[in-house]
Amino acid sequence: ILVVILLLSCKQIIFAQNNNSSIELNEVDTNINESVYISTNSNSFLTGETLLYNISCLNKTTNLPSKYSKVAYFKLIDSNKKIITTQKIFLKNGTGNGDFFIPTTLETGTYKIIGYTNWILNKNIDNYFITDIYILNPYKENNVVTTSQSEVSISEPTIDSNISFHFNSKVLANRQKVELSIKTANDDFLKGNYTISVRKSDGFSVQNKVLFNDYKLVNQNKIPNNTINSSDFLLPELRGEIIKGRIKSNFGEINNRKVALSIVGKNYDLKIAKTDEQGRFTFNLEKANTNPNIVIQVLGENKENYTIEINEPKETDFSSLVFPALQLNSESNKNITERLISSQIENAYYNTKKDSIITTDKFVPFFGTSTIQYKFDDFTRFPTMEETITEIITGVVFRKEKDNYSLLINDYDKNFNSTLPPLVVVDGLILENLNDFFKYNPRNLYSVNVVKGLYYYEAKSFNGLLFFTTKNGDYETNLNGSYIIKPQLLRPVANKRYFQPDYTQDKNTRIPDYRHQLLWLPNADLSTINSNIQFYTSDVSGKFEVTLEGFSATGKPVYIKEIIDVKSTDSN
């Protein structure tokens, strides 16, 4: 966001410019060679467990992070080709992560994980990332084949001379601190993108998890379909999330109309787009905002004559996908029983073991910080909005004509009075009709920021800005009609810091700990030659796999694995 303040003839003119211009087809290199790879914490799950994943967007040739797409998508579908969930992931340096709690409503069987970007949707399904996972619902009767295989998917350690694990001990007690250091050979492996997972080796399926080299080997002989259908062309999300739509009208011009998107709340966002000759508009949201409270409205006169339509996501033909049967190993009953008990206990203590949301970068309002702010609790509170504005906000007056309210901001130059209305925003929502706002309880307002003088926002002129925030960030408008909609749009998933107990603190000692997933670091920081990571074992004993998977700074695939053994202790 660029905010420029100019002083001209004793008047303050402020430009608030957001780069929302859409990208044209001829500006995009249609030979972008982009692929997606998804790494999961396991390939076999019980209902009631959580699937954890890391998603990488790569240059298909070099394995380097793609410089194009800033958003990727994760889908889970069942053997009936029904979509179970779709998640939107913002990418940083080509990588992002998410999770999915597997509900008890799912049936036992094979499922597909699908990964793609907006750009990959322009190609055929062979260009998507596709892999199998296996889900068993122990609460329902299952008819699954059990093989004679006796091994429980505990393979030998996987070694890479360029990067290695070093432990304080590979034989540990329950609830013991594990000191893990990671040594790298050079800067290439030091500065890569990696995911570290520590999970009990108790898979119940005979099918093994597919790693990157295996996946690429299987798919390298597929001929990529680079043919782009321009009539159905999807732009790569170069700057962030793209939301597109169009307006229709039987009476007015649909070209050059202003359409506003508001994400309403404390962590708000506000965009204004201009329609083209076909009434189409595009919003680019550069930052991930998980808030689902979205309002899109047509601005200006005669807006009641317009209808807004949001583009539906492009559908994919999954008919060619083949789902292999789920086969259990001979020790599956023992593994399933132990995991079922553990997940039930862990879910019972969910409220005391919650993951924490990682806060985004410091929020900066679109109008900058050089404004006059009034915090209403610093003043005498008044029962009506009319009194609140008159008595607290200096230089702002309201008018009422035929039961319609308006606001006016006095200019710095007392001899200058603009006929333009101010830009009035509440929690990110633009208000052109102020009648609802004047019925709002002013005691729920937290603050108002005032900008005097001519104010330009998205090529539209205003006589100043009034930006109100409420205490709870929950302002609702009662306006309705086809010109203002509240679409249910897919929102990005929040970044999380996954729960880790600290047994140096007494508050954790009396809480049962039946974690089978001891550690999940989707963005492991190996910024030092010997990176040190600490975590605790749980009350679960057995063999645990410690894996590191990812790509070096120059795109070399990396996968290493070690086994640690957790022995039960008498104290537990």
Side-chain angles (χ1 to χ4, degrees):
I1 298 174
L2 173 66
V3 178
V4 181
I5 301 178
L6 299 176
L7 294 178
L8 294 175
S9 303
C10 298
K11 303 182 186 70
Q12 186 183 54
I13 303 178
I14 296 182
F15 297 86
Q17 177 183 348
N18 286 285
N19 188 5
N20 281 326
S21 57
S22 61
I23 308 165
E24 298 298 331
L25 175 59
N26 57 14
E27 295 180 54
V28 177
D29 179 3
T30 56
N31 292 316
I32 295 173
N33 198 17
E34 195 169 73
S35 66
V36 161
Y37 176 71
I38 297 176
S39 174
T40 61
N41 61 326
S42 179
N43 72 327
S44 60
F45 300 89
L46 300 182
T47 55
E49 295 182 334
T50 298
L51 184 159
L52 304 167
Y53 67 89
N54 185 74
I55 185 166
S56 298
C57 183
L58 307 167
N59 180 301
K60 200 169 187 178
T61 303
T62 65
N63 297 333
L64 292 173
S66 173
K67 62 181 181 180
Y68 296 103
S69 294
K70 301 299 186 295
V71 180
Y73 297 84
F74 168 96
K75 263 187 172 61
L76 181 67
I77 66 172
D78 65 15
S79 57
N80 295 317
K81 320 296 173 63
K82 176 186 175 183
I83 298 173
I84 305 302
T85 187
T86 302
Q87 296 185 347
K88 178 181 291 188
I89 308 295
F90 261 66
L91 304 174
K92 184 176 182 181
N93 193 28
T95 187
N97 62 88
D99 58 70
F100 176 66
F101 179 81
I102 300 173
T104 56
T105 54
L106 296 189
E107 301 288 339
T108 294
T110 303
Y111 291 72
K112 296 278 188 187
I113 288 176
I114 313 290
Y116 57 91
T117 63
N118 225 34
W119 178 256
I120 293 174
L121 283 177
N122 292 306
K123 304 180 182 182
N124 66 29
I125 197 168
D126 287 342
N127 291 269
Y128 298 21
F129 173 85
I130 303 173
T131 194
D132 297 317
I133 66 165
Y134 309 94
I135 296 176
L136 190 142
N137 190 333
Y139 302 100
K140 297 184 178 181
E141 183 177 353
N142 299 301
N143 295 312
V144 184
V145 175
T146 300
T147 73
S148 59
Q149 179 175 329
S150 60
E151 291 297 321
V152 191
S153 186
I154 303 178
S155 58
E156 294 298 319
T158 303
I159 307 299
D160 188 315
S161 59
N162 296 295
I163 189 166
S164 59
F165 291 140
H166 296 268
F167 300 89
N168 58 330
S169 175
K170 289 187 180 181
V171 179
L172 304 124
N174 298 127
R175 300 197 180 195
Q176 181 178 340
K177 180 187 287 188
V178 182
E179 301 276 356
L180 168 62
S181 64
I182 303 171
K183 296 183 180 181
T184 55
N186 51 53
D187 280 354
D188 181 29
F189 293 90
L190 187 72
K191 298 177 181 178
N193 291 325
Y194 304 108
T195 296
I196 297 176
S197 174
V198 182
R199 184 174 177 85
K200 191 167 190 290
S201 304
D202 57 359
F204 54 77
S205 172
V206 301
Q207 295 97 332
N208 292 322
K209 177 182 170 182
V210 177
L211 304 178
F212 177 79
N213 283 333
D214 300 324
Y215 178 80
K216 192 166 186 178
L217 182 64
V218 170
N219 289 273
Q220 66 182 357
N221 293 324
K222 293 182 179 179
I223 301 174
N225 178 12
N226 290 318
T227 303
I228 302 298
N229 182 359
S230 60
S231 64
D232 195 25
F233 182 79
L234 293 175
L235 295 169
E237 292 175 291
L238 295 169
R239 294 191 290 269
E241 180 182 7
I242 291 179
I243 297 172
K244 304 183 75 172
R246 64 180 300 183
I247 62 171
K248 294 182 178 180
S249 175
N250 295 324
F251 305 101
E253 289 288 332
I254 60 174
N255 189 26
N256 289 325
R257 290 293 308 211
K258 299 293 175 59
V259 182
L261 179 148
S262 299
I263 300 180
V264 183
K266 289 187 175 181
N267 185 21
Y268 63 85
D269 205 347
L270 173 61
K271 302 289 182 182
I272 299 178
K274 185 169 64 174
T275 61
D276 63 12
E277 62 277 1
Q278 295 180 325
R280 299 174 300 188
F281 57 84
T282 300
F283 296 109
N284 284 282
L285 305 182
E286 296 86 356
K287 294 184 178 181
N289 194 320
T290 61
N291 187 347
N293 190 8
I294 295 177
V295 177
I296 299 176
Q297 60 178 315
V298 179
L299 302 178
E301 297 179 351
N302 304 317
K303 56 189 175 186
E304 295 80 6
N305 297 333
Y306 294 87
T307 298
I308 301 175
E309 296 180 354
I310 299 299
N311 290 6
E312 293 293 330
K314 183 177 180 179
E315 293 186 359
T316 300
D317 181 8
F318 295 128
S319 60
S320 63
L321 297 181
V322 177
F323 291 74
L326 168 59
Q327 299 181 55
L328 304 182
N329 59 53
S330 59
E331 296 192 16
S332 63
N333 288 339
K334 174 184 175 183
N335 295 338
I336 290 168
T337 300
E338 182 185 352
R339 284 171 60 167
L340 176 60
I341 294 171
S342 296
S343 67
Q344 288 176 333
I345 295 173
E346 285 297 291
N347 291 334
Y349 285 87
Y350 169 78
N351 287 330
T352 60
K353 298 184 176 186
K354 283 185 178 180
D355 304 322
S356 56
I357 301 298
I358 300 175
T359 56
T360 57
D361 297 335
K362 184 178 180 181
F363 181 73
V364 179
F366 69 87
F367 48 81
T369 56
S370 300
T371 64
I372 303 170
Q373 185 182 66
Y374 299 87
K375 293 182 179 179
F376 292 105
D377 281 344
D378 293 341
F379 302 86
T380 300
R381 301 305 298 245
F382 296 92
T384 67
M385 193 66 73
E386 292 94 331
E387 292 173 289
T388 298
I389 291 172
T390 300
E391 300 296 335
I392 295 178
I393 311 175
T394 303
V396 176
V397 296
F398 75 90
R399 302 279 170 80
K400 185 178 181 182
E401 297 179 5
K402 297 181 180 180
D403 295 328
N404 291 318
Y405 286 92
S406 63
L407 288 168
L408 176 66
I409 302 176
N410 293 328
D411 196 87
Y412 285 102
D413 184 353
K414 295 181 180 180
N415 298 316
F416 175 80
N417 287 307
S418 172
T419 58
L420 295 171
L423 174 60
V424 181
V425 183
V426 184
D427 289 342
L429 179 66
I430 293 179
L431 301 185
E432 291 189 313
N433 184 324
L434 299 178
N435 292 343
D436 272 354
F437 180 65
F438 274 84
K439 297 176 184 177
Y440 187 73
N441 186 348
R443 296 185 186 277
N444 293 331
L445 292 176
Y446 172 71
S447 68
V448 62
N449 290 73
V450 182
V451 177
K452 293 186 176 183
L454 294 178
Y455 186 86
Y456 293 93
Y457 188 76
E458 301 289 353
K460 188 174 177 62
S461 304
F462 302 92
N463 180 31
L465 164 71
L466 284 168
F467 193 99
F468 293 89
T469 58
T470 64
K471 290 182 177 179
N472 297 319
D474 57 357
Y475 185 80
E476 293 275 351
T477 178
N478 293 321
L479 296 178
N480 59 70
S482 59
Y483 69 93
I484 182 168
I485 62 173
K486 298 179 180 179
Q488 300 297 312
L489 299 179
L490 180 65
R491 307 310 307 131
V493 301
N495 289 326
K496 293 181 181 178
R497 183 175 291 106
Y498 293 96
F499 172 80
Q500 283 289 301
D502 181 359
Y503 287 119
T504 63
Q505 299 181 13
D506 291 339
K507 66 178 182 179
N508 291 319
T509 57
R510 298 180 63 83
I511 299 174
D513 186 354
Y514 281 80
R515 291 173 299 128
H516 281 229
Q517 184 79 42
L518 301 183
L519 181 69
W520 176 255
L521 291 179
N523 296 298
D525 182 11
L526 307 186
S527 57
T528 60
I529 295 295
N530 296 310
S531 297
N532 295 311
I533 296 169
Q534 297 179 346
F535 62 93
Y536 282 89
T537 61
S538 64
D539 296 334
V540 177
S541 302
K543 305 288 187 181
F544 287 78
E545 295 179 350
V546 183
T547 61
L548 179 146
E549 186 173 10
F551 302 89
S552 73
T554 57
K556 296 183 180 70
V558 176
Y559 179 81
I560 60 173
K561 178 172 69 175
E562 290 275 7
I563 305 298
I564 60 174
D565 193 2
V566 179
K567 303 284 189 179
S568 61
T569 57
D570 294 337
S571 59
N572 288 320

